[in-house]
Structure formats: C-alpha cells, structure tokens
Amino acid sequence: MKNKFRSIVLLLSIFLLSNCAMYQRQLALTMFDVRLGMTREQVVEVLGRPSMVVSAYTTENGDQIEVLEYVRNESNSLTDQVESRPIWTYFINNELFEWGPGENWETDAAFRRAILNRSKDYQQNRPRR
C-alpha cells in the first residue's frame, strides 16, 4: 500500500513539474512572436494571461500606461538552481512600446518619465502605415 501511494505521488509530481517546465519553455519561445506596436489583447493572445498587472494609470495629459508581468523560470548554469525572471511588457495607450526584465516600477519615477518621452518621440517620428 505504501509503495503504491509513493508511486502515485511520484507520478503526480513528475506530471506537475513537466507541465510547469513546458509552460516556461513555451513563454521563452513565444517571446519571439511579440512585436512592438501590438495591442494588449494581441500580446495576451501570444503569451497568455500575465501573472500580474504591475501598474496601470492615466497620466496628467491623458496617456494610459499599463505594465503586465510574465514570469519565466531559467536555469542558472553557475549555481544549477532555477531562478524566476520577470518580464514586464509596457503599454502606452494600449500599444506595446517596450518589454524587458522587471524593474521596481513604483520607486523609479525617472524611468517612467523616460519611457513616456521615448514613446512621444516614437509616435511623432514613426512611419505612417
């Protein structure tokens, strides 16, 4: 009876771990399908539901900013440990403007201003479709 229980627990653990690894691998692969200018809905369609909404607000001049977080587990080749790496997607007025490693959004006001300025420059100078 004990051996049967252990076997079931072991099989269940292997199944759960393989599903988690498959999801993380899938996120790593689908980041290649993400393109600047995509809408929030298009990004969610490609990457799936985010793990959290980091920030969402409207600026004084009416720009809507939203930051979504996706978490990817990566193996550290130096320590042989699996580490979580957040990837943040930055949307300005529902358009993907930037993505990259998660930052400390609340304490980095300078970064917020810089991304808004870059967005305005991009919108003014981008080729019309």
Side-chain angles (χ1 to χ4, degrees), residues 34-35 37-44 47 50 55-57 63-70 88-99 105 115-116 119:
V34 175
R35 299 286 178 257
M38 293 175 83
T39 66
R40 180 187 193 278
E41 292 76 22
Q42 290 170 322
V43 171
V44 170
L47 297 179
S55 181
Y57 67 94
D63 288 323
Q64 293 180 346
I65 298 176
E66 188 172 27
V67 182
L68 306 180
E69 179 180 82
Y70 291 90
W88 286 7
T89 55
Y90 299 85
F91 295 88
I92 298 178
N93 299 324
N94 198 36
E95 183 178 328
L96 182 64
F97 178 72
E98 188 169 289
W99 71 83
W105 183 259
I115 196 171
L116 279 172
S119 170

Coordinates of all heavy atoms in Angstrom, one line a residue, residues 34-35 37-44 47 50 55-57 63-70 88-99 105 115-116 119:
V34 N 6.4 38.3 -30.2 CA 6.0 39.6 -29.7 C 6.6 40.7 -30.5 O 7.8 40.6 -30.8 CB 6.3 39.7 -28.2 CG1 6.0 41.1 -27.7 CG2 5.6 38.7 -27.3
R35 N 5.8 41.7 -30.9 CA 6.3 42.8 -31.7 C 5.9 44.1 -31.1 O 4.8 44.2 -30.6 CB 5.8 42.7 -33.1 CG 6.2 41.4 -33.9 CD 7.7 41.5 -34.3 NE 8.1 40.3 -35.0 CZ 8.8 39.3 -34.4 NH1 9.2 39.4 -33.2 NH2 9.2 38.3 -35.1
G37 N 4.3 47.6 -30.9 CA 3.1 48.1 -31.6 C 1.9 47.2 -31.4 O 0.7 47.6 -31.8
M38 N 2.1 46.0 -30.9 CA 0.9 45.1 -30.7 C 0.0 45.7 -29.6 O 0.5 46.4 -28.7 CB 1.4 43.7 -30.2 CG 2.2 42.9 -31.3 SD 2.9 41.4 -30.7 CE 1.5 40.3 -30.9
T39 N -1.3 45.3 -29.7 CA -2.2 45.7 -28.6 C -2.0 44.8 -27.4 O -1.4 43.7 -27.6 CB -3.6 45.7 -29.1 OG1 -4.0 44.3 -29.4 CG2 -3.8 46.6 -30.3
R40 N -2.6 45.2 -26.3 CA -2.6 44.4 -25.1 C -3.2 43.0 -25.4 O -2.7 42.0 -25.0 CB -3.3 45.1 -24.0 CG -3.4 44.3 -22.7 CD -4.3 45.1 -21.7 NE -4.2 44.6 -20.4 CZ -4.8 43.5 -19.9 NH1 -5.5 42.8 -20.7 NH2 -4.6 43.2 -18.6
E41 N -4.3 43.0 -26.1 CA -5.1 41.8 -26.5 C -4.2 40.9 -27.3 O -4.2 39.7 -27.1 CB -6.4 42.1 -27.2 CG -7.4 42.8 -26.3 CD -7.1 44.3 -26.0 OE1 -6.4 45.0 -26.8 OE2 -7.6 44.9 -25.0
Q42 N -3.5 41.4 -28.3 CA -2.6 40.6 -29.1 C -1.5 40.0 -28.3 O -1.2 38.8 -28.5 CB -2.0 41.5 -30.2 CG -3.1 41.9 -31.3 CD -2.5 42.9 -32.3 OE1 -1.7 43.8 -31.9 NE2 -2.9 42.8 -33.5
V43 N -0.9 40.7 -27.4 CA 0.2 40.2 -26.5 C -0.4 39.1 -25.7 O 0.3 38.0 -25.5 CB 0.8 41.3 -25.7 CG1 1.8 40.7 -24.7 CG2 1.6 42.3 -26.6
V44 N -1.5 39.3 -25.0 CA -2.1 38.3 -24.2 C -2.5 37.0 -25.0 O -2.3 35.9 -24.5 CB -3.3 38.8 -23.4 CG1 -4.1 37.7 -22.7 CG2 -2.9 39.9 -22.4
L47 N 1.2 35.4 -25.5 CA 1.9 35.0 -24.3 C 1.0 34.3 -23.2 O 1.4 33.7 -22.3 CB 2.6 36.1 -23.6 CG 3.7 36.8 -24.4 CD1 4.3 38.0 -23.6 CD2 4.8 35.8 -24.8
P50 N -1.1 37.3 -18.1 CA 0.0 37.6 -17.3 C -0.1 37.2 -15.9 O -1.2 36.9 -15.4 CB 0.0 39.2 -17.4 CG -1.4 39.5 -17.7 CD -2.0 38.4 -18.5
S55 N 1.3 47.8 -12.9 CA 0.9 49.2 -12.8 C -0.1 49.5 -13.9 O 0.1 49.0 -15.0 CB 2.1 50.1 -12.8 OG 1.8 51.4 -12.7
A56 N -1.0 50.4 -13.6 CA -2.0 50.9 -14.6 C -2.5 52.2 -14.1 O -2.9 52.3 -13.0 CB -3.1 49.9 -14.8
Y57 N -2.3 53.2 -14.9 CA -2.7 54.6 -14.6 C -2.8 55.5 -15.8 O -2.3 55.1 -16.8 CB -1.9 55.2 -13.5 CG -0.5 55.5 -13.9 CD1 -0.1 56.8 -14.4 CD2 0.5 54.5 -13.9 CE1 1.1 57.1 -14.8 CE2 1.8 54.8 -14.3 CZ 2.1 56.1 -14.7 OH 3.4 56.4 -15.1
D63 N -2.4 60.1 -21.3 CA -1.8 58.8 -21.7 C -2.1 57.7 -20.7 O -2.0 57.9 -19.5 CB -0.3 58.9 -21.8 CG 0.1 59.8 -23.0 OD1 -0.5 59.7 -24.1 OD2 1.1 60.5 -22.9
Q64 N -2.5 56.6 -21.2 CA -2.8 55.4 -20.3 C -1.6 54.5 -20.4 O -1.2 54.1 -21.5 CB -4.1 54.7 -20.8 CG -5.3 55.5 -20.6 CD -6.6 54.8 -21.0 OE1 -6.5 53.8 -21.7 NE2 -7.7 55.3 -20.7
I65 N -1.1 54.2 -19.2 CA 0.1 53.3 -19.1 C -0.3 52.1 -18.3 O -1.0 52.1 -17.3 CB 1.2 54.0 -18.4 CG1 1.6 55.3 -19.2 CG2 2.4 53.1 -18.2 CD1 2.7 56.1 -18.6
E66 N 0.1 50.9 -18.9 CA -0.1 49.6 -18.2 C 1.1 48.8 -18.3 O 1.7 48.7 -19.4 CB -1.4 49.0 -18.8 CG -1.8 47.7 -18.0 CD -3.1 47.2 -18.5 OE1 -3.4 47.4 -19.7 OE2 -3.8 46.5 -17.7
V67 N 1.5 48.1 -17.2 CA 2.6 47.2 -17.2 C 2.2 45.9 -16.8 O 1.6 45.7 -15.7 CB 3.7 47.7 -16.3 CG1 4.9 46.8 -16.3 CG2 4.1 49.2 -16.6
L68 N 2.4 44.8 -17.6 CA 2.0 43.5 -17.3 C 3.3 42.7 -17.0 O 4.3 42.9 -17.7 CB 1.2 42.8 -18.5 CG 0.0 43.6 -19.0 CD1 -0.6 42.8 -20.1 CD2 -1.0 43.8 -17.9
E69 N 3.2 41.7 -16.1 CA 4.3 40.9 -15.8 C 4.1 39.5 -16.2 O 3.0 38.9 -15.9 CB 4.6 40.9 -14.3 CG 5.8 40.1 -13.9 CD 6.1 40.1 -12.4 OE1 5.4 39.4 -11.6 OE2 7.0 40.9 -12.0
Y70 N 5.1 38.9 -16.8 CA 5.1 37.5 -17.1 C 6.4 36.9 -16.4 O 7.4 37.6 -16.4 CB 5.2 37.2 -18.6 CG 4.0 37.6 -19.4 CD1 3.8 38.9 -19.9 CD2 3.0 36.6 -19.5 CE1 2.6 39.2 -20.5 CE2 1.8 37.0 -20.2 CZ 1.6 38.2 -20.7 OH 0.5 38.6 -21.3
W88 N 8.6 42.3 -18.0 CA 7.5 43.3 -18.0 C 7.2 43.8 -19.4 O 8.1 44.1 -20.2 CB 7.9 44.5 -17.1 CG 7.8 44.1 -15.6 CD1 7.5 42.9 -15.1 CD2 7.9 45.0 -14.5 NE1 7.5 43.0 -13.7 CE2 7.8 44.3 -13.3 CE3 8.2 46.4 -14.5 CZ2 7.9 44.8 -12.1 CZ3 8.3 46.9 -13.2 CH2 8.1 46.2 -12.0
T89 N 5.9 43.9 -19.7 CA 5.5 44.5 -21.0 C 4.9 45.8 -20.7 O 4.0 45.9 -19.9 CB 4.5 43.5 -21.7 OG1 3.4 43.3 -20.9 CG2 5.2 42.2 -22.1
Y90 N 5.3 46.8 -21.4 CA 4.9 48.2 -21.2 C 4.0 48.7 -22.3 O 4.4 48.7 -23.5 CB 6.1 49.2 -21.1 CG 7.1 48.8 -20.0 CD1 8.1 47.9 -20.2 CD2 7.1 49.5 -18.8 CE1 9.0 47.6 -19.2 CE2 8.0 49.2 -17.8 CZ 8.9 48.3 -18.0 OH 9.8 48.0 -17.0
F91 N 2.8 49.0 -22.0 CA 1.8 49.5 -22.9 C 1.5 51.0 -22.7 O 1.3 51.4 -21.5 CB 0.5 48.8 -22.8 CG 0.6 47.3 -23.2 CD1 1.0 46.4 -22.2 CD2 0.4 46.9 -24.5 CE1 1.1 45.0 -22.5 CE2 0.6 45.5 -24.8 CZ 0.9 44.6 -23.8
I92 N 1.5 51.8 -23.7 CA 1.1 53.2 -23.7 C 0.0 53.3 -24.6 O 0.1 53.0 -25.8 CB 2.3 54.1 -24.0 CG1 3.4 54.0 -22.9 CG2 1.8 55.6 -24.0 CD1 4.6 54.8 -23.1
N93 N -1.2 53.7 -24.1 CA -2.4 53.9 -24.9 C -2.7 52.6 -25.7 O -3.0 52.6 -26.9 CB -2.3 55.1 -25.9 CG -2.2 56.3 -25.1 OD1 -2.7 56.5 -24.0 ND2 -1.4 57.3 -25.6
N94 N -2.6 51.4 -25.0 CA -2.9 50.1 -25.5 C -2.0 49.6 -26.6 O -2.3 48.7 -27.4 CB -4.4 50.0 -25.9 CG -4.8 48.5 -26.1 OD1 -4.4 47.7 -25.3 ND2 -5.6 48.2 -27.0
E95 N -0.8 50.2 -26.7 CA 0.2 49.8 -27.7 C 1.5 49.4 -27.0 O 2.0 50.1 -26.2 CB 0.5 51.0 -28.7 CG 1.4 50.6 -29.8 CD 1.7 51.8 -30.7 OE1 0.7 52.6 -30.9 OE2 2.8 51.9 -31.3
L96 N 2.0 48.2 -27.4 CA 3.2 47.7 -26.7 C 4.4 48.6 -27.2 O 4.6 48.7 -28.4 CB 3.5 46.2 -27.1 CG 4.7 45.6 -26.5 CD1 4.6 45.5 -25.0 CD2 5.0 44.2 -27.1
F97 N 5.0 49.2 -26.2 CA 6.1 50.1 -26.5 C 7.4 49.5 -26.2 O 8.4 49.8 -26.8 CB 5.9 51.4 -25.8 CG 7.0 52.4 -26.0 CD1 7.1 53.1 -27.2 CD2 7.9 52.6 -25.0 CE1 8.1 53.9 -27.4 CE2 9.0 53.5 -25.3 CZ 9.1 54.2 -26.5
E98 N 7.5 48.7 -25.2 CA 8.7 48.1 -24.7 C 8.5 46.9 -23.9 O 7.4 46.7 -23.3 CB 9.5 49.2 -23.9 CG 10.9 48.9 -23.5 CD 11.6 50.2 -22.9 OE1 11.8 51.1 -23.7 OE2 11.8 50.2 -21.7
W99 N 9.5 46.0 -23.8 CA 9.4 44.9 -22.8 C 10.9 44.6 -22.4 O 11.8 45.0 -23.1 CB 8.7 43.7 -23.4 CG 9.5 42.9 -24.4 CD1 10.5 41.9 -24.2 CD2 9.3 43.0 -25.8 NE1 10.9 41.5 -25.4 CE2 10.2 42.1 -26.4 CE3 8.5 43.8 -26.6 CZ2 10.3 41.9 -27.8 CZ3 8.6 43.6 -28.0 CH2 9.5 42.7 -28.6
W105 N 8.9 49.4 -10.4 CA 8.1 50.5 -11.1 C 7.8 51.6 -10.2 O 7.9 52.8 -10.5 CB 6.9 49.8 -11.6 CG 6.0 50.8 -12.4 CD1 4.9 51.4 -11.9 CD2 6.2 51.2 -13.7 NE1 4.4 52.2 -12.9 CE2 5.2 52.1 -14.0 CE3 7.2 51.0 -14.7 CZ2 5.1 52.8 -15.2 CZ3 7.0 51.6 -15.9 CH2 6.0 52.5 -16.2
I115 N 10.4 56.6 -20.3 CA 9.6 55.8 -21.3 C 8.5 56.6 -21.9 O 8.2 56.5 -23.1 CB 9.0 54.5 -20.6 CG1 8.6 53.5 -21.6 CG2 7.9 54.8 -19.6 CD1 8.2 52.2 -21.1
L116 N 7.9 57.6 -21.2 CA 6.9 58.4 -21.8 C 7.5 59.3 -22.9 O 7.0 59.5 -23.9 CB 6.3 59.3 -20.7 CG 5.1 58.6 -19.9 CD1 4.7 59.5 -18.8 CD2 4.0 58.3 -20.8
S119 N 8.3 57.3 -25.9 CA 7.0 57.0 -26.6 C 6.6 58.2 -27.4 O 6.2 58.0 -28.6 CB 5.9 56.6 -25.6 OG 4.7 56.5 -26.2

